[in-house]
Amino acid sequence: MEQFGLSGPTKEQVEFFQDAPFFRRRIIFAHRDLDVIIDAIRSGREYAVLTGIKPTGDYHMGTFQTVKEFVYFQRKSPQAIAVFSIADIEAWEDNGISFEESKKIAISNVSDLLAAGLDLERAYIYFQSKEIRVHELAALAARGITLATMRAVYGERHMGLYLSALVQIGDILLPQHPDLGGPKPTLVPVGIDQDPHLRLTRDVASKLKPKWGFVEPASTYHLIIRSLLGDKKMSKRDPMSYISLRDDESLVRKKILNAFTGGRETAQLQRELGGEPWKCVVYEIAKFHLYADKDEELEKIYRECVAGERLCGECKMQILEDLIEEMKEHERRRIEVLPTARQIVERAWNRQPLYTASSGGA
Ligand code: TRP
Ligand code: SF4
């Protein structure tokens, strides 16, 4: 954090966002320029929240974290506009997923965004490949970036990944495009792995500021949720390593029962020594996605685990039942908005006007 100039949220900042479990639980552990956004919220000024996700498959517990933050920062102020990039260019360049495949996958993705509570009246959802303003901004940015910079930031990569990086700069600057009302504070909630893109975009924005008035984008960074098997990251290649939002009940059951915990070798040892919830992936799922309004429940699990009063079998059962209940509720909301999601994807695919629900817009 020091090396790259990131700050941890201060007590005041956490206080300001204390209606968000991911601030209270320090899941968002770093940021850039968060005060710029807090000022905008306080004074009722307009700001944008922008993020993007590759449509490589159904959302899982990791990508859904980004979705929840995105929706929260939109809902935090009536002056916020939400701009969402379906990163189909990156999905092709990085994962070999065709634009047509991306379009199909995007329906499920967008339905999750809507079920999470996105306000469509002030949201713009688009495909990278179809949004010409993003291409304009990427072109604008590219002139100031050397190959040496690309290599230094991303390593030696094929042109497609460099192209995706330029397109992502276009994404991040899109809310400041004249068609969306010009320069404005923009918050980009992402996982910490995205920081290189933010650094590059902030450089570009500050270089282009004299002529175009860009504001350097602010960002928040969340911890990356670990794989169910206890390794560092979830992997698309191993479905047992993550829970997808489309997994059915029996699959979720199987995955949780199979998941890595912070438990001891034997029940007796666990009663003596206590468990290690900080190592436990099941606890992590609860921390990221459960008990949003019940911090006490989470604290209780932690406390009892450390004290050896709780064994993994029963603990998993509790978290599992609560998770399934949560997922069912989400699914109920999602089925309701699925037709709308189809419409939005179709419109985005056909380059329809800004802002999805009403005409008007920025
Ligand atoms: N690069 C991001 C990922 O790997 C996706 C992404 C595309 C994005 N455009 C963005 C993230 C703009 C934040 C802002 O998933
Ligand atoms: Fe994880 Fe619960 Fe086992 Fe503790 S008791 S290690 S929180 S599953």
Side-chain angles (χ1 to χ4, degrees):
M1 283 174 56
E2 229 167 76
Q3 189 184 342
F4 292 114
L6 292 178
S7 327
T10 61
K11 252 177 78 189
E12 291 72 32
Q13 290 168 330
V14 173
E15 187 73 17
F16 185 81
F17 292 114
Q18 56 98 31
D19 52 339
F22 43 82
F23 269 103
R24 297 197 308 270
R25 297 175 188 176
R26 303 296 193 272
I27 289 168
I28 288 185
F29 71 99
H31 72 90
R32 293 178 190 277
D33 280 357
L34 189 55
D35 278 335
V36 173
I37 303 301
I38 294 179
D39 284 350
I41 297 172
R42 279 217 171 96
S43 57
R45 266 179 290 125
E46 190 190 39
Y47 68 95
V49 49
L50 172 138
T51 199
I53 299 178
K54 288 189 285 185
T56 52
D58 293 327
Y59 287 160
H60 50 61
M61 297 281 145
T63 35
F64 196 54
Q65 181 58 34
T66 306
V67 169
K68 289 203 289 194
E69 291 164 8
F70 178 67
V71 171
Y72 169 82
F73 287 120
Q74 181 204 38
R75 292 268 177 191
K76 188 71 180 164
S77 161
Q79 302 309 320
I81 61 160
V83 182
F84 187 86
S85 167
I86 304 169
D88 63 337
I89 291 185
E90 189 180 341
W92 163 248
E93 304 297 357
D94 197 13
N95 307 80
I97 293 183
S98 71
F99 293 165
E100 284 73 18
E101 280 174 83
S102 273
K103 184 190 177 194
K104 279 194 205 118
I105 295 168
I107 295 170
S108 147
N109 293 171
V110 169
S111 70
D112 285 319
L113 269 168
L114 302 189
L118 189 70
D119 177 0
L120 276 181
E121 292 284 339
R122 42 196 179 94
Y124 179 53
I125 299 173
Y126 65 92
F127 287 94
Q128 281 181 329
S129 69
K130 304 290 179 279
E131 177 43 80
I132 197 165
R133 300 169 192 87
V134 166
H135 310 170
E136 284 175 16
L137 291 163
L140 199 68
R143 191 162 188 272
I145 302 174
T146 64
L147 191 55
T149 298
M150 282 308 207
R151 284 204 181 100
V153 178
Y154 301 107
E156 184 73 35
R157 296 302 177 91
H158 64 76
M159 289 308 295
L161 287 175
Y162 292 158
L163 177 68
S164 302
L166 293 171
V167 169
Q168 185 159 348
I169 295 175
D171 283 336
I172 297 173
L173 295 177
L174 179 60
Q176 307 197 57
H177 188 284
D179 290 358
L180 283 89
K184 63 177 69 60
T186 303
L187 178 66
V188 186
V190 278
I192 186 62
D193 58 313
Q194 297 297 304
D195 187 51
H197 298 289
L198 266 301
R199 291 205 305 276
L200 200 53
T201 308
R202 286 168 63 89
D203 271 4
V204 167
S206 92
K207 271 196 216 138
L208 295 175
K209 191 185 288 181
K211 183 139 188 229
W212 302 84
F214 288 127
V215 181
E216 281 107 316
S219 46
T220 55
Y221 301 103
H222 55 244
L223 299 169
I224 304 286
I225 195 165
R226 279 172 310 157
S227 140
L228 287 176
L229 307 172
D231 12 33
K232 263 214 193 111
K233 226 183 136 173
M234 294 172 293
S235 157
K236 281 258 146 81
R237 263 152 259 126
D238 185 357
M240 283 306 277
S241 77
Y242 61 89
I243 293 172
S244 147
L245 266 54
R246 297 292 90 77
D247 284 351
D248 65 22
E249 192 174 326
S250 71
L251 193 53
V252 174
R253 220 166 264 285
K254 199 168 132 202
K255 286 180 178 181
I256 290 282
L257 293 180
N258 192 39
F260 181 84
T261 71
R264 305 284 177 179
E265 232 102 286
T266 65
Q268 199 200 336
L269 264 180
Q270 184 145 345
R271 286 210 183 80
E272 275 169 31
L273 301 172
E276 300 176 291
W278 52 88
K279 289 187 185 168
C280 176
V281 186
V282 181
Y283 178 78
E284 196 162 275
I285 286 178
K287 176 172 145 184
F288 274 70
H289 294 292
L290 294 178
Y291 315 121
D293 306 315
K294 265 195 296 175
D295 286 349
E296 327 80 73
E297 188 57 41
L298 198 65
E299 283 156 19
K300 180 168 170 253
I301 294 174
Y302 195 96
R303 200 170 359 103
E304 292 180 354
C305 173
V306 171
E309 291 161 9
R310 174 179 276 267
L311 298 182
C312 292
E314 36 172 318
C315 183
K316 274 181 165 177
M317 285 324 273
Q318 177 198 338
I319 291 174
L320 180 59
E321 293 316 321
D322 294 337
L323 178 64
I324 285 173
E325 193 42 50
E326 193 81 18
M327 288 177 74
K328 275 191 186 155
E329 235 163 76
H330 177 82
E331 188 62 14
R332 273 194 288 276
R333 289 193 296 270
R334 194 185 80 84
I335 295 302
E336 264 173 48
V337 294
L338 197 52
T340 313
R342 284 210 178 85
Q343 245 176 33
I344 289 173
V345 166
E346 205 53 50
R347 284 201 216 169
W349 186 258
N350 292 308
R351 306 182 162 89
Q352 292 281 305
L354 290 168
Y355 297 92
T356 336
S358 56
S359 41

